[in-house]
Amino acid sequence: MYTPVTIHHMHDMERLIASCGFMPFFANAIPGFSIWENTPQELRFNDDADGPWEWKGPVILNGAFAYGKLLRGKAMYVTLDWYKHLANWRRAHTQPSRQELKVLDTIRQHGSLLTTELRRLCGYSCPRQAREDNPLLRESQRLTQKLKRTPRIEGLETCLTRLQMGTYLVVADFEYKIDKTGRRYGWGVARYCRPEDFFGPEALQAGCSPAESRERIVRHLVEMLPGIETQQVDAIIG
């Protein structure tokens, strides 16, 4: 049965994930069932102290948990014992679009990629636009306007979210800019890879049918969270 804990250190966070199997990062439809809600206020977004935001990458790199947008497009950790069943179920009921397959294949070719690298490699980076009143570039702009732009089927963030929800991608780490003193700053940029490449293909072998995987997850969630409602179970399983 799930028992809320107070997270003071990264090891507390890891133990909570390991004991639950499924652990959302932020607050969700199940009250108290998240890393964020179990973290003291002083450790949230505190520049002078480590906290769950800074521990996300190191916890991922320990290799015991899958992390990504797995809960209706929101971040969640899942232990490998349960991730294989989640993947077994979701992959049987999702099919990536052509654009998503392009993104996925680009990541496969490189092993892993940052979001910024994906934008460039998959053609999402927009060229700089000159001022409309610049007479030196007026003619080139006129010619450019004649070219038909190829419509994008899906934005990159949409593709990445759907691929994570489908268990085709996981976040492998978060990388930061470093200042002259060696201190990191700004928001971390996600590095994505296929779970097969991060954990090994054998880690995704559920050894049962997708329906059996779903039933195992349902039993686990009901035992861990007595009183959980059907829609809440469905939100976690997908």
Side-chain angles (χ1 to χ4, degrees):
M1 183 180 297
Y2 170 65
T3 303
V5 300
T6 301
I7 298 173
H8 293 289
H9 305 284
M10 187 176 78
H11 297 310
D12 297 332
M13 180 171 152
E14 291 177 314
R15 281 193 291 269
L16 180 62
I17 300 167
S19 66
C20 295
F22 298 83
M23 181 48 58
F25 192 85
F26 292 110
N28 56 88
I30 305 174
F33 187 58
S34 72
I35 290 169
W36 207 243
E37 291 167 285
N38 283 281
T39 302
Q41 182 68 34
E42 61 269 19
L43 294 182
R44 301 177 186 177
F45 296 114
N46 189 335
D47 291 337
D48 298 321
D50 282 340
W53 202 259
E54 289 75 24
W55 299 332
K56 287 194 302 180
V59 169
I60 291 169
L61 291 175
N62 283 344
F65 315 121
Y67 176 86
K69 293 182 177 179
L70 295 165
L71 179 60
R72 291 188 172 176
K74 303 298 182 181
M76 182 166 68
Y77 283 97
V78 182
T79 61
L80 292 187
D81 285 344
W82 288 112
Y83 187 75
K84 65 184 179 184
H85 289 294
L86 188 67
N88 193 29
W89 169 255
R90 288 192 180 177
R91 290 190 181 189
H93 295 83
T94 60
Q95 179 60 46
S97 68
R98 182 178 300 179
Q99 186 73 2
E100 289 158 14
L101 288 173
K102 176 182 176 181
V103 171
L104 185 61
D105 189 58
T106 302
I107 293 173
R108 180 192 61 79
Q109 291 177 33
H110 291 80
S112 69
L113 286 170
L114 296 171
T115 311
T116 49
E117 295 168 333
L118 274 168
R119 290 190 184 282
R120 174 175 53 83
L121 292 169
C122 294
Y124 284 98
S125 296
C126 296
R128 295 174 183 266
Q129 297 294 318
R131 294 180 185 273
E132 294 182 359
D133 58 354
N134 186 334
L136 298 176
L137 299 176
R138 190 171 297 156
E139 180 63 17
S140 64
Q141 288 176 344
R142 185 184 66 80
L143 295 174
T144 300
Q145 288 172 357
K146 292 183 178 181
L147 300 176
K148 293 183 179 179
R149 298 183 63 184
T150 302
R152 292 172 183 162
I153 300 174
E154 292 175 299
L156 179 59
E157 292 301 328
T158 299
C159 286
L160 292 173
T161 297
R162 286 175 56 84
L163 287 169
Q164 290 171 82
M165 284 292 296
T167 68
Y168 297 100
L169 282 184
V170 291
V171 176
D173 195 9
F174 290 92
E175 300 184 15
Y176 296 80
K177 293 181 178 179
I178 305 296
D179 64 21
K180 294 181 179 179
T181 66
R183 184 177 180 179
R184 72 183 190 183
Y185 67 94
W187 293 98
V189 178
R191 177 174 289 279
Y192 295 96
C193 72
R194 301 188 311 157
E196 291 90 342
D197 295 328
F198 195 73
F199 302 111
E202 66 284 349
L204 297 184
Q205 301 303 312
C208 62
S209 70
E212 289 173 316
S213 284
R214 188 184 193 283
E215 181 57 33
R216 291 186 187 186
I217 297 174
V218 170
R219 286 200 304 268
H220 170 69
L221 293 174
V222 170
E223 290 174 2
M224 180 178 60
L225 300 163
I228 187 172
E229 298 179 1
T230 301
Q231 61 267 32
Q232 293 171 325
V233 173
D234 291 341
I236 293 175
I237 297 176

